[in-house]
Structure formats: C-alpha cells, structure tokens
Amino acid sequence: MDRMDERLLRQDEPVRVLIVDDSDDDAFLVRAELGRRGVRIDYRRVDCELDMAAALASDSWDVILADHDMPGFDSLAALEVLKRSGQDVPFIIHSGQISDRQAVSAMYEGVDDFIAKGDYERLVPVIERELRGVSARRAVRTADNRIRELVNFDGLSALPNHHLFCSKVTDWLGDCRQRARAPVGAVFVVDVDRFMRINASFGYEVGSAILRQVGERLAQGLAPEVTLARLGGDKFGVFLPGVGDPAQIEVTARWILTAFEQPFLKDKVELFLTASIGIAMVPRDGDSVYTLLMNAETAVAQTKRKGGKGLRFFDRAMNTASVERLALEADLRHALVRNELRLFYQPLVRATDGAVVGAEALVRWQHPQQGLLTPDRFIPLADETGLITEVGSQVLFEACRQGKAWQDAGHAAFRVSVNVSAVQFGQPRLLETVSEALNASGFPPACLTLEITESSLMSDVESAAGMLRALKNMGVQVAVDDFGTGYSSLSYLKRLPIDVIKIDKSFVRDVSHDEEDAAIVRAIIVLARSLHLATVAEGVETREQEVMLRDERCDSFQGFRYGRPVPPESFPFLLQGVAD
C-alpha cells in the first residue's frame, strides 16, 4: 500500500483533488460532502484549458473531478489536457449534464468513471478504488524501473553489464542499417591478466575493490561516445563506434594498456596489473554484437597465450573450428535420420512439499564418434542451419510420448516442459507440430508446457502475442524461460497470454548471499504474483537457495538439488514423491 492509499484510509494527509468546474459553490459542496463522509480533501478549481494545464504542471494531484458541460470547456476537452500532460491521474466525470450514452463513450476515451452530481455515497468508494488502482500501477512501474537498473548495470562497478553492452551495440548497428549507412567501429574485450592472484592473495573483497578502480580509470579516460561495460569477472567490454581505421583503433587500445601502468592502491598497498586486449572490427569481423564479442574473445585468448600484456586484432585464421563446424553440421543431418537424439529429463518440484510434479525435456546427441553431446554443442548450429525445426519436432513428439507413458504408469497429473527455440517460435508450422505431437501421443494439452525465452517474445511482441494466443487456445501452458536475461519491458508481460515465469539461474546462483540478486528475484516473484503467474526458480543447488526462494513464495524449483538431467529409464526413482 503506498502513500496515497494510506492518506485515503487513515486520512493522515488530505487527498489532493483537481476540480474542473465552473461553479465555486459546487466545488465547495464537494469538499463539504466528502468531509462529512470522512474523506478530507485539498482542492483547486479550474474551468478552462489554460488553467488546468498550469495546475497539472505546477502541482501533483491524486484525482480529477470534472463537470461535463461548462462554457467553452467540457470533460472530454479536460481529459485531452490530462493526456497531453502524460500524468497518470484518475479522471472521474462528476456531472448531472451528461447522458448515459455520452458517459459510456467518454469511458472508452479513457475516463475512469462517471458519477452523477450529488451522489456522494457512490463518489467516496469510487475515489478510493481509483487511488488504489493508480497506486498499483505506480508500484509496477517502480518495480519495472528497479529491475531495469539491476538487470542492465553491474552491481560491483556500476558500469553497464553484458546485457546492456550488447543492447547498445545492437541498437547502434540497427540504426546504421536504418540510415543506410555503412557501420564502422570496433569491439574490444579487455581481460585483466592473472587477476586470480589478487583474489587468492588478498581475498575477494580486495579483488572487487581493484575491479572498481579499473572501471573508474577506464571510464575517466575513454571518450564520451565510447561504451564501457563490465562483461563479468575480470573482463571489460569497450565499443568504439564510427572508427574504421585500424591505426586509430589501435591508439585507443594502447591507451587502455597504458592505463594499467600506474599501480592500483588498496590500503596503501601498490598492486601492479596488466591487461590483454582482443579487437574485432565492424563490419569485417562480424555484423552482430555476439559475433563481434566471440571474435574479440578469440583474439584476446591468443594474446594471453603469448603471455598477455598486449593487444591483437581478430584474424579469421584464428577460427580453426570452422572446419569442425561444417563436419558437425553434416553429422547433425545424419543424426536426425538415424534417431541419434536422446531426451534427458530434469525434475520439477513443488516448493511447498518437494513433490515431483513434472520434468523438463532436455535434448542430447549421441554422436557416434564424439559421444554424448550437450545442447550448447549443436543447438546453435541447428539454429543457424535451419535444422532446428526438425530437431524441435523430434523432441516434442518424444517428450509427449514419454509424458503419456508416465501418466499411464499411474502419474496422472505429471507435466512435461519442452523448450522452443526462437527460430521455431517464429514459424507458423509450430502450431501444427504441437497439435500433431499431442494427437499422436494422446498426451493432455494441459500437461504440456512450452518454454520460450524472453528475448524471443520481446523481439516482436505483437507477433508473439498472436502465436501465444493460438497455443493457449490449444490448451497448452506457456512459460517464459531465462526470465531477466533478455529483459525489455515488464509492461509487455500483461499483454502476453503466459502462465509461468522461469527465473534464470544466473540470478538464483547467488540469491542466498548477494543482495542484488535477491532483490531481482524478490521483485520478479512479487510481480509474477500480481499478474497471477506461477514462478519456477532454475538452477537451485543448495538448501540456502531453497529456503530463501520458499520464503519469497516461489512456486516451484528445478536444479541439481533435486536431480540432474537423466535418461527416462533412470527417472522413475524420482517419481516416488510425485504429486498425482
């Protein structure tokens, strides 16, 4: 409950009401009648567009009461003044000069309610309701802004983090394409050499202090148009836009190296550090931030192999894995024909009693020469080559078949979750595939959850909403996977027909002892509850994590604490505590 609710219910402070009316007597009567009913107000009366705009600009208001028919000014004109101000203030028509049809039409335009003049018994609860409504909206916006801050900025250095760095570079590349301008620039990965010595010798607290100093020193010396971020650990990212000359790029890189020449101080102890820098150029070395970062990482690894304390531009000859990738692509095509894909299942447990209520299906590849391959080895390749559609289809059919088998074995309420890639989600064929898998297996649609990453949903919200509605009409549940890592705007969540939010394991990992991660998780759970969505915490490994998440009323858990992904023949022992 925020300050406005408290003011209305306890009357510690008067409710501030902007009255749009051409009668002083009517305005005074409103104050008197509300006061008789226990609602104390401060008000200001205006009766023209100019005065109302000035009142909105100079003061804050809890509610607006507007007469409908005034000389040269009416309630709809007043509503337009409010809209232009951009403020979120409940707008109530309080008039005896408006028909029911006009009142209904006005509410379609954005009026919150209509109260006949003199009906003060109804006016009081309507004001109370609207104040609560605006309070809830402001609470969501506050949570939205707080999570945006926590997700986009590194808590240790206060610099942009990996996510915001990628967003800024991606936006810049997109802007260049929109303007039909050839993008030129460079992405640096700056890796502090042998930084683990600091942590091992002086402890992590000293290490964190030194990293803050590194960030501050680099930020002070780089030009304003340069983006500096802490990518994680002892790695920093630098984006230099608009510079295509390698010699100029090298000047900036060498300045960064010289920035490490002066010692860093901690408790009067001088600590000397060096750095290795890998550089990827735009567009020569990539046209997406992820490709550029990957190639800069490859270059910095080469620098460190040579002893560090230097810089290196990416060279495509470094990427010796390209031939292996081509061979792996050919093998993957054969794997689909030979049914070499295997599904492993990780249990999903209910927070209240630890009962296994479902499983997430996770694909593996039983490669004939390389053995069992995890998804990170072949799913990105499947995405790039278009094979992901067939991979996803096989996974979905097998997961539904296995889920039905477990249900037939006596676990009637058992659920199965299946990941859907961004490429799959963008194809209408997905609906047909889901329908065929359900029909072929006899698995109940209500027991199938499709997990879709937040970034996939936010890339095109309108298209995503249409696809999600179609899936919901089929009866399946939808979960937002890796929530928080692809953050765009929480305001979109209420527009998307989803059922579950899966809190990314990167926030869960340190939730029991990192207050920033705890704040993110707490805010996500509260927000999900307010939107009537279930929450699943991924990556739960310790009792401390479990206790904290249960105390915050997270609904379900998933992670190594409850079981690693296992093949279906090894899963039944986990079903001993299954909830039917």
Side-chain angles (χ1 to χ4, degrees):
M1 185 183 301
D2 77 354
R3 193 169 59 91
M4 285 194 305
D5 283 327
E6 293 171 359
R7 211 165 46 230
L8 181 63
L9 298 176
R10 297 203 310 253
Q11 287 292 285
D12 292 340
E13 298 178 36
V15 179
R16 293 184 52 77
V17 182
L18 181 60
I19 299 178
V20 186
D21 202 310
D22 59 344
S23 169
D24 269 328
D25 291 340
D26 285 356
F28 182 81
L29 186 60
V30 167
R31 183 176 70 172
E33 291 296 332
L34 290 178
R36 287 181 55 226
R37 290 161 176 80
V39 180
R40 187 162 56 94
I41 71 169
D42 279 345
Y43 77 91
R44 177 175 171 182
R45 185 186 67 83
V46 296
D47 58 10
C48 68
E49 179 178 341
L50 188 62
D51 288 349
M52 181 178 177
L56 288 170
S58 61
D59 289 301
S60 60
W61 303 97
D62 298 331
V63 68
I64 296 173
L65 296 180
D67 194 5
H68 175 62
D69 191 12
M70 297 167 284
F73 198 48
D74 63 16
S75 61
L76 293 183
L79 180 63
E80 287 304 313
V81 175
L82 174 62
K83 288 180 178 178
R84 287 198 299 271
S85 76
Q87 298 183 39
D88 183 8
V89 183
F91 189 99
I92 301 168
I93 294 178
H94 184 226
S95 176
Q97 302 295 323
I98 183 171
S99 68
D100 289 345
R101 175 178 291 182
Q102 288 174 315
V104 171
S105 176
M107 293 180 74
Y108 276 110
E109 294 295 325
V111 170
D112 292 292
D113 211 333
F114 161 69
I115 307 294
K117 259 190 181 175
D119 190 355
Y120 298 105
E121 294 301 328
R122 182 162 177 258
L123 182 59
V124 171
V126 167
I127 290 176
E128 185 174 291
R129 182 197 69 203
E130 293 304 323
L131 288 181
R132 286 201 178 95
V134 76
S135 172
R137 293 194 297 274
R138 290 174 184 174
V140 169
R141 285 197 295 271
T142 299
D144 194 334
N145 292 336
R146 178 57 178 156
I147 292 177
R148 184 186 296 276
E149 177 184 328
L150 292 171
V151 169
N152 285 327
F153 290 89
D154 173 54
L156 187 149
S157 65
L159 293 172
N161 62 12
H162 186 282
H163 166 68
L164 185 56
F165 181 82
C166 291
S167 296
K168 284 178 173 288
V169 178
T170 299
D171 289 346
W172 178 82
L173 291 168
D175 184 62
C176 289
R177 295 187 190 101
Q178 279 190 336
R179 298 170 183 265
R181 187 176 66 204
V184 292
V187 168
F188 301 177
V189 170
V190 181
D191 192 329
V192 182
D193 295 328
R194 294 173 288 279
F195 188 76
M196 287 304 297
R197 294 179 308 163
I198 303 295
N199 289 333
S201 301
F202 300 97
Y204 285 94
E205 184 178 348
V206 172
S208 295
I210 297 301
L211 287 174
R212 279 192 290 271
Q213 290 184 41
V214 171
E216 290 167 2
R217 189 176 295 183
L218 294 180
Q220 290 170 2
L222 292 170
E225 67 272 14
V226 175
T227 298
L228 170 67
R230 181 173 176 240
L231 302 179
D234 55 8
K235 289 184 180 178
F236 294 81
V238 175
F239 174 53
L240 185 63
V243 181
D245 181 3
Q248 288 182 273
I249 293 170
E250 186 172 339
V251 168
T252 300
R254 292 207 175 277
W255 175 86
I256 293 173
L257 293 177
T258 61
F260 283 84
E261 291 179 355
Q262 295 299 316
F264 296 88
L265 297 176
K266 179 59 180 174
D267 298 332
K268 298 182 180 180
V269 176
E270 292 186 342
L271 300 174
F272 289 88
L273 302 174
T274 61
S276 298
I277 303 176
I279 306 169
M281 293 179 60
V282 183
R284 186 191 73 183
D285 300 327
D287 57 3
S288 77
V289 65
Y290 302 105
T291 302
L292 291 164
L293 278 174
M294 178 182 69
N295 290 337
E297 287 271 15
T298 300
V300 82
Q302 293 284 336
T303 307
K304 293 180 83 68
R305 288 192 194 104
K306 299 290 185 181
K309 195 182 179 182
L311 63 91
R312 187 155 184 175
F313 285 82
F314 174 74
D315 184 336
R316 294 198 178 276
M318 297 175 183
N319 200 351
T320 57
S322 59
V323 175
E324 296 178 8
R325 286 174 63 83
L326 288 173
L328 198 64
E329 179 186 341
D331 289 346
L332 183 56
R333 294 182 185 276
H334 292 303
L336 292 168
V337 177
R338 297 168 182 164
N339 293 319
E340 292 173 359
L341 299 184
R342 302 284 182 266
L343 288 192
F344 280 43
Y345 296 87
Q346 185 171 33
L348 176 71
V349 304
R350 189 165 52 208
T352 53
D353 57 8
V356 178
V357 293
E360 179 180 355
L362 301 166
V363 65
R364 303 289 188 264
W365 177 9
Q366 190 65 54
H367 192 282
Q369 284 80 42
Q370 300 184 42
L372 194 67
L373 302 183
T374 53
D376 59 296
R377 290 287 307 278
F378 62 93
I379 290 297
L381 181 63
D383 272 331
E384 291 175 19
T385 58
L387 293 172
I388 191 63
T389 302
E390 192 170 348
V391 170
S393 177
Q394 286 195 14
V395 169
L396 192 57
F397 271 75
E398 175 57 23
C400 289
R401 186 204 64 77
Q402 182 61 64
K404 179 67 165 116
W406 277 324
Q407 288 187 345
D408 290 345
H411 307 294
F414 196 78
R415 307 189 56 81
V416 172
S417 300
V418 177
N419 291 285
V420 176
S421 76
V423 175
Q424 282 177 282
F425 187 65
Q427 297 178 349
R429 165 72 180 160
L430 175 63
L431 298 174
E432 185 179 347
T433 301
V434 173
S435 178
E436 290 175 354
L438 291 170
N439 290 335
S441 63
F443 192 56
C447 293
L448 175 64
T449 300
L450 298 181
E451 298 189 5
I452 303 159
T453 62
E454 183 184 5
S455 56
S456 299
L457 295 175
M458 294 304 177
S459 61
D460 184 348
V461 175
E462 297 304 325
S463 297
M467 175 63 81
L468 293 180
R469 279 192 292 269
L471 290 169
K472 292 289 291 177
N473 289 338
M474 295 171 63
V476 303
Q477 285 205 333
V478 175
V480 182
D481 197 14
D482 300 336
F483 186 80
T485 58
Y487 175 82
S488 176
S489 174
L490 294 178
S491 62
Y492 286 122
L493 282 182
K494 63 182 180 181
R495 297 171 52 190
L496 298 174
I498 57 179
D499 306 283
V500 180
I501 286 178
K502 298 194 74 174
I503 305 169
D504 188 68
K505 60 186 177 183
S506 63
F507 301 125
V508 173
R509 180 174 52 244
D510 298 323
V511 72
S512 59
H513 57 271
D514 186 306
E515 185 52 40
E516 290 191 353
D517 282 347
I520 293 175
V521 170
R522 193 177 296 116
I524 291 173
I525 293 172
V526 169
L527 181 70
R529 194 180 307 127
S530 71
L531 296 174
H532 307 292
L533 304 176
T535 48
V536 176
E538 299 182 285
V540 181
E541 297 183 0
T542 67
R543 183 179 183 278
E544 291 75 16
Q545 293 168 340
E546 180 186 84
V547 169
M548 184 275 182
L549 291 163
R550 185 181 290 120
D551 288 345
E552 295 300 330
R553 295 170 58 191
C554 183
D555 297 302
S556 303
F557 305 144
Q558 187 177 337
F560 291 169
R561 178 165 174 78
Y562 316 102
R564 293 176 179 270
V566 294
E569 58 271 18
S570 302
F571 195 86
F573 80 93
L574 295 169
L575 296 180
Q576 296 172 2
V578 73
D580 291 322

